[in-house]
Amino acid sequence: MAEVNGRYGKTKVRVVRVRKTPPKSAGAGPWHELMEVEVETLLEGSFLEAYTHGDNGRIVPTDTVKNTTYVIAKKSNFDSIEDFGLALMRHFLSRHSHIDRVTVTLTEKLWNRLTVSGKPHEHVFSATGPEKRVATCVGSRSGPYSVTSGIEDLKLMKTTQSGFEGYIVDEYTTLPPAKDRIFCTKVDAKWTYGAPLPEGQFHLLHDKIRDSMMEVFAGPPEGGEYSPSVQETMYKMGLRAMEVCPSVQSVKLVLPNIHHFPFDIGRFGLTNQQEILYPTDDPSGLIECEVTRARARL
Ligand SMILES: O=c1[nH]c(=O)c2[nH]c(=O)[nH]c2[nH]1
């Protein structure tokens, strides 16, 4: 005997939504808002006879999943990818009683409103990147809905106030201790909200959490703050995110350490105080951390 489990849906559904609202001032044109998002929706439920017997009677076609993504984009007046994902998830759970669980994963490519002659333009935007906003919304019939939000591909570099010393030295160690080095990384941060979900607030919270983590990475504007390792800095970033947003239950960070080696200009009679460097993409350090809120004692 064999057991079967399966889920299916549509991936890489690309949606651009232009939200059109009335002019902000007399004589101005309508005010547009732009969102570009790639959506993946996966369904689980009582349709396994499609796998075992070729019976498609309980299959919502993946083509319909794609079309529904565009319809919900039009019908639901969402402010954030999280609210879009929740609307899509709720649609499938309420429409089809045999669907038990829906997972919607959204990746937003960011656009900035263009400033022209010092004024924000009503309907012209410039692409930013490679930073992306991401979210995964999971809804099951039996349990609470869950939302994990995050940032991917945000490249950061700190040109001082970082070092790495005091590590294990053995016969294979060549790394010199550093009191001053470059700290360059590409932030992948994911945080999970607890119940009740902050629906309608995700956009604001994203900015608040992102800012709080950037503040920790950077330190104060004058003088910054010394980072003794990627490990310590990312732990503090996770802690701060939970501090500024009480509904965040855990934060997971994955930070590569993108190495920048000082180029040896000493050979030419010049000194190099972390001024002339060569970056290497491969290999990089890869450092992960998950910080979870301690449960209150009963
Ligand atoms: O912040 C760092 N953490 C490490 O674990 C490590 N290892 C290494 O070679 N350089 C660094 N830097």
Side-chain angles (χ1 to χ4, degrees), residues 65-107:
V65 175
K66 174 209 58 184
N67 292 347
T68 307
T69 309
Y70 290 102
V71 171
I72 299 296
K74 165 71 184 174
K75 284 186 163 177
S76 167
N77 190 25
F78 50 85
D79 287 320
S80 64
I81 53 172
E82 291 86 348
D83 288 311
F84 182 21
L86 287 169
L88 201 51
M89 189 195 85
R90 285 194 172 105
H91 168 86
F92 288 111
L93 287 175
S94 60
R95 168 84 43 113
H96 302 286
S97 59
H98 71 289
I99 292 176
D100 300 327
R101 193 177 156 92
V102 181
T103 304
V104 186
T105 304
L106 309 104
T107 305

Side-chain angles (χ1 to χ4, degrees), residues 164 175 181 229-231 257 259 287:
F164 186 63
L175 183 75
R181 65 171 183 174
S229 64
V230 176
Q231 283 90 334
N257 186 6
H259 304 299
I287 306 191

Side-chain angles (χ1 to χ4, degrees), residues 19-33 113 122:
R19 186 156 62 171
K20 303 184 176 184
T21 60
K24 293 238 171 207
S25 55
W31 184 258
H32 287 190
E33 284 163 13
R113 188 175 298 282
E122 295 121 313

Side-chain angles (χ1 to χ4, degrees), residues 212-226:
S212 75
M213 289 198 286
M214 295 308 97
E215 265 170 39
V216 173
F217 182 85
E222 280 175 44
E225 184 171 295
Y226 184 72

Side-chain angles (χ1 to χ4, degrees), residues 248-296:
V248 167
Q249 298 305 306
S250 63
V251 183
K252 188 170 178 195
L253 284 146
V254 178
L255 299 188
N257 186 6
I258 303 172
H259 304 299
H260 284 64
F261 298 113
F263 188 79
D264 182 11
I265 51 174
R267 293 172 291 177
F268 312 109
L270 298 166
T271 56
N272 192 359
Q273 294 177 316
Q274 298 294 322
E275 296 156 286
I276 305 297
L277 307 131
Y278 63 97
T280 52
D281 279 344
D282 308 315
S284 67
L286 185 62
I287 306 191
E288 303 191 355
C289 178
E290 187 164 3
V291 193
T292 304
R293 197 178 285 283
R295 281 168 195 255

Side-chain angles (χ1 to χ4, degrees), residues 131-153:
E131 179 181 355
K132 293 167 200 78
R133 250 185 88 155
V134 295
T136 301
C137 305
V138 186
S140 66
R141 211 165 275 293
S142 54
Y145 300 157
S146 86
V147 174
T148 298
S149 301
I151 299 167
E152 283 179 4
D153 295 331

